[in-house]
Amino acid sequence: MFLSDIMQIFRKMGWANRITMMRIGAVLPILLLIHFPNVYTCWIAMFLFVAAAVTDFLDGYIARREKQVTNFGKFLDPLADKLLICSILIEMVGLGWVPAWIVIIIIMRELAVTGLRAVAADKGVVIAADWYGKWKTVFQIIAMVPLLIHFPFLGLPVHLIGTVILYIALVLTIFSGCNYFYLFYRQWRDHLTENR
C-alpha cells in the first residue's frame, strides 16, 4: 500500500521533479559502494555520482523548457544537491578520506544559507543564487570525482588531486556564504528603507 502510494505521487510529478528524486535516490547506493571501498566499488560509485550530478543540470533545463517550474521543485533541487554532496563527504570523513573540519565548514555554510533564505523569504526578501554559489557547487562536484575514485589511477595521485580541488571548493564555499549574508544585509536594508 505504502509503495503504491509513493509510485502514484511519483507519476503525478513532472519530469523535472522525477529526475531530481532520482538524484536523491542515487545517494544510498553511492554510500553503500564506498562504505566497502575497493577499486571496483569506487569506480562504480564515481559513475553513479557523475550521472546524478548531470541530472542537476538536466532537471533545471527540463523544468524551464517544459514550463514545469514549481515551488516544490525550487525546494527539492537544492535539497537534492545538499543531500548528495554532504552525505558522501560525511561518509568520506568516516573512511578517513577527507578532514572532518572541511566537511563541518561546508555543512555549516549550507545550513546557514538555507536558514538565511528562509528568514529572508518570510520577510518578503528574495536572495537569488549568485555566481560564487554556482561555482562552489561546480568545484564540489569536480572534487568528488577523484575523491570517489580514491585509488591511484595511471600513476596519478587521484585522491590528492581531489583534495586540492576540494580546498578550492572550500574557499568558494566560505566566500559565497559571506556574500549571501552581505546580499541579505543589503536587501534587508533596502527593504526597510522602502517601507518607511
Side-chain angles (χ1 to χ4, degrees):
M1 186 71 176
F2 176 71
L3 189 58
S4 64
D5 290 341
I6 290 175
M7 292 307 294
Q8 192 74 2
I9 292 167
F10 191 74
R11 283 191 207 101
K12 288 182 181 178
M13 288 180 182
W15 270 107
N17 288 339
R18 287 184 197 175
I19 291 168
T20 306
M21 290 296 289
M22 286 188 271
R23 182 157 79 254
I24 293 171
V27 172
L28 186 58
I30 293 169
L31 292 177
L32 286 172
L33 284 163
I34 63 172
H35 190 71
F36 303 100
N38 62 54
V39 173
Y40 304 107
T41 59
C42 287
W43 274 90
I44 295 167
M46 184 275 292
F47 281 120
L48 266 177
F49 174 80
V50 169
V54 167
T55 67
D56 187 23
F57 303 100
L58 188 62
D59 59 6
Y61 170 75
I62 289 173
R64 288 186 295 274
R65 192 191 70 186
E66 302 295 323
K67 294 180 174 52
Q68 294 178 345
V69 177
T70 63
N71 287 333
F72 179 68
K74 288 177 185 176
F75 163 77
L76 194 64
D77 185 56
L79 176 66
D81 296 341
K82 289 169 180 51
L83 285 173
L84 184 66
I85 298 287
C86 293
S87 59
I88 295 170
L89 284 173
I90 290 167
E91 178 66 21
M92 286 181 173
V93 168
L95 293 167
W97 293 2
V98 171
W101 67 270
I102 292 178
V103 178
I104 290 167
I105 290 172
I106 289 171
I107 292 173
M108 282 174 55
R109 182 265 186 206
E110 298 300 346
L111 291 173
V113 169
T114 300
L116 184 72
R117 280 179 154 169
V119 169
D122 187 53
K123 302 296 182 185
V125 177
V126 177
I127 303 175
D130 67 351
W131 279 105
Y132 302 116
K134 290 176 181 176
W135 277 110
K136 175 265 306 181
T137 303
V138 168
F139 272 89
Q140 284 178 350
I141 290 169
I142 293 169
M144 297 303 285
V145 173
L147 286 172
L148 281 166
I149 294 170
H150 182 65
F151 296 97
F153 178 66
L154 299 176
L156 293 171
V158 177
H159 189 80
L160 178 62
I161 293 167
T163 303
V164 170
I165 299 169
L166 186 63
Y167 275 101
I168 296 168
L170 178 66
V171 171
L172 289 168
T173 297
I174 295 167
F175 189 80
S176 68
C178 292
N179 193 51
Y180 274 115
F181 275 87
Y182 171 71
L183 289 173
F184 174 75
Y185 163 74
R186 201 173 67 188
Q187 290 185 25
W188 180 255
R189 184 191 59 201
D190 294 346
H191 181 72
L192 289 175
T193 305
E194 287 170 9
N195 292 329
R196 280 182 182 168

